[in-house]
């Protein structure tokens, strides 16, 4: 049974340091192919367990489904149980990339009503001890919780949002990929027609901490966001978009929907791609 989340979507290290009632999850993962597990073993927050984005937070299928489609509800429950995480456990996730991969776990848990937060500033902000010894929790049975209607959208809904004056479609990738100047990984360059570009990386200050809530809110409001439930966010493969989703929730605008297939799915179809010259 889902619990009511009491943690904010983004939490400071000082607010949780020394607490023994939190499951810390290291979700390091790198687009360039470096091993997140190797990074974890080289040094992580003491007591943190490692969660593999590809194995535990994604399904796997044909390219036209995107690079990181959501796992089934059963698969996600099995993954949580294998890590010893039950529905009553409070989770705080982190990485070393401004929350890019760790936000995926936090977002997935929060849409299920699970108490979860992203560590602001990531591993670099942790004031407590670190360790090179891997940590494990005893496996348990975690109940299956169905993905809720309205938490995410499919490719057709994303296309409709881009063409609708009553919805806001946000592309969370960097400006060069949005404009179609470069595309290092997906099938073709560009963006979904009608999408506004609000790069997730611009939510942070020079030290890797989220900007204050007023600044975050102003970023989205400047693109026409009045309420998050009218907004759909996508990125390359449905991972960094979750960081934008948490930032929007943190700013007080509410929780937007995520197009999980994102550009990695869209670019494998014959749907139109917009570019900026």
């Amino acid at each position: 049974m889902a619990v009511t989340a009491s943690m904010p979507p983004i939490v400071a290290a000082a607010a949780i340091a020394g607490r023994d009632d939190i499951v810390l999850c290291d979700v390091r993962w790198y687009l360039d192919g470096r091993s997140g597990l190797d990074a974890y073993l080289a040094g992580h927050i003491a007591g943190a367990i490692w969660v593999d984005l590809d194995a535990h937070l994604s399904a796997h299928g044909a390219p036209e489904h995107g690079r990181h489609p959501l796992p089934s509800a059963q698969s996600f429950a099995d993954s949580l149980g294998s890590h010893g995480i039950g529905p009553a456990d409070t989770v705080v996730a982190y990485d070393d990339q401004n929350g890019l991969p760790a936000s995926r776990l936090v977002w997935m848990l929060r849409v299920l009503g699970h108490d979860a937060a992203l560590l602001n500033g990531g591993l670099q902000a942790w004031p407590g001890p670190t360790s090179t010894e891997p940590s494990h929790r005893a496996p348990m049975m975690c109940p299956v919780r169905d993905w809720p209607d309205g938490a995410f959208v499919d490719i057709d809904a994303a296309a409709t949002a881009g063409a609708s004056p009553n919805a806001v479609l946000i592309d969370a990738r960097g400006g060069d990929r949005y404009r179609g100047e470069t595309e290092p990984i997906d099938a073709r360059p560009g963006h979904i027609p009608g999408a506004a570009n609000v790069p997730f990386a611009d939510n942070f200050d020079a030290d890797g901490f989220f900007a204050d809530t007023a600044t975050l809110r102003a970023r989205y409001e400047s693109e026409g966001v009045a309420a998050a439930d009218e907004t759909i966010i996508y990125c390359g493969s449905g991972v960094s978009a979750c960081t934008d989703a948490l930032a929007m929730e943190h700013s007080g605008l509410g929780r937007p929907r995520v197009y999980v297939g994102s550009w990695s799915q869209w670019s494998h179809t014959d749907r139109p791609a917009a570019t900026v010259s």
Side-chain angles (χ1 to χ4, degrees):
M1 183 175 70
V3 297
T4 301
S6 60
M7 292 283 282
I10 299 163
V11 66
I16 63 166
R19 288 180 56 174
D20 59 5
D21 61 336
I22 288 174
V23 181
L24 284 163
C25 293
D26 187 312
V27 198
R28 277 180 281 180
W29 172 90
Y30 304 98
L31 189 61
D32 61 11
R34 284 177 292 153
S35 169
L37 178 57
D38 286 349
Y40 170 81
L41 294 174
H44 54 268
I45 296 175
I49 59 176
W50 186 65
V51 178
D52 187 334
L53 183 146
D54 289 315
H56 299 119
L57 308 181
S58 308
H60 303 280
E64 57 265 28
H65 296 149
R67 283 184 280 116
H68 292 107
L70 278 182
S72 68
Q74 179 69 64
S75 176
F76 187 48
D78 290 345
S79 291
L80 291 174
S82 71
H83 287 87
I85 298 173
D89 289 316
T90 298
V91 172
V92 173
Y94 71 90
D95 54 52
D96 56 5
Q97 297 184 84
N98 292 348
L100 188 156
S103 291
R104 172 75 170 228
L105 173 59
V106 174
W107 175 79
M108 290 168 68
L109 289 171
R110 289 183 72 85
V111 299
L112 293 175
H114 195 122
D115 213 14
L118 180 69
L119 180 62
N120 197 6
L123 176 61
Q124 303 92 314
W126 186 248
T130 59
S131 174
T132 58
E133 292 297 320
S135 294
H136 304 281
R137 292 169 60 87
M140 61 178 295
M141 291 294 295
C142 184
V144 177
R145 294 167 289 181
D146 292 334
W147 295 117
D149 293 337
F152 48 87
V153 304
D154 62 14
I155 192 169
D156 293 325
T160 300
S164 172
N166 299 317
V168 180
L169 181 63
I170 289 177
D171 187 318
R173 297 174 299 162
D176 56 345
R177 293 182 71 189
Y178 169 83
R179 293 188 294 271
E181 297 168 359
T182 183
E183 182 45 66
I185 191 166
D186 290 319
R188 56 194 171 110
H191 61 267
I192 299 174
N197 188 212
V198 186
F200 94 95
D202 292 345
N203 286 329
F204 306 92
D205 63 23
D207 296 317
F209 292 93
F210 279 88
D212 63 81
T213 56
T215 299
L216 291 173
R217 189 181 184 102
R219 289 194 73 216
Y220 299 106
E221 289 180 337
S222 70
E223 298 296 344
V225 176
D229 58 7
E230 301 169 352
T231 303
I232 293 170
I233 299 181
Y234 76 93
C235 56
S237 66
V239 177
S240 61
C242 297
T243 311
D244 256 14
L246 295 182
M248 190 176 293
E249 185 182 355
H250 183 62
S251 75
L253 287 167
R255 183 183 298 147
R257 291 173 290 168
V258 172
Y259 167 35
V260 179
S262 287
W263 189 249
S264 62
Q265 179 183 42
W266 187 282
S267 65
H268 276 93
T269 72
D270 59 1
R271 294 174 185 258
T275 58
V276 178
S277 59

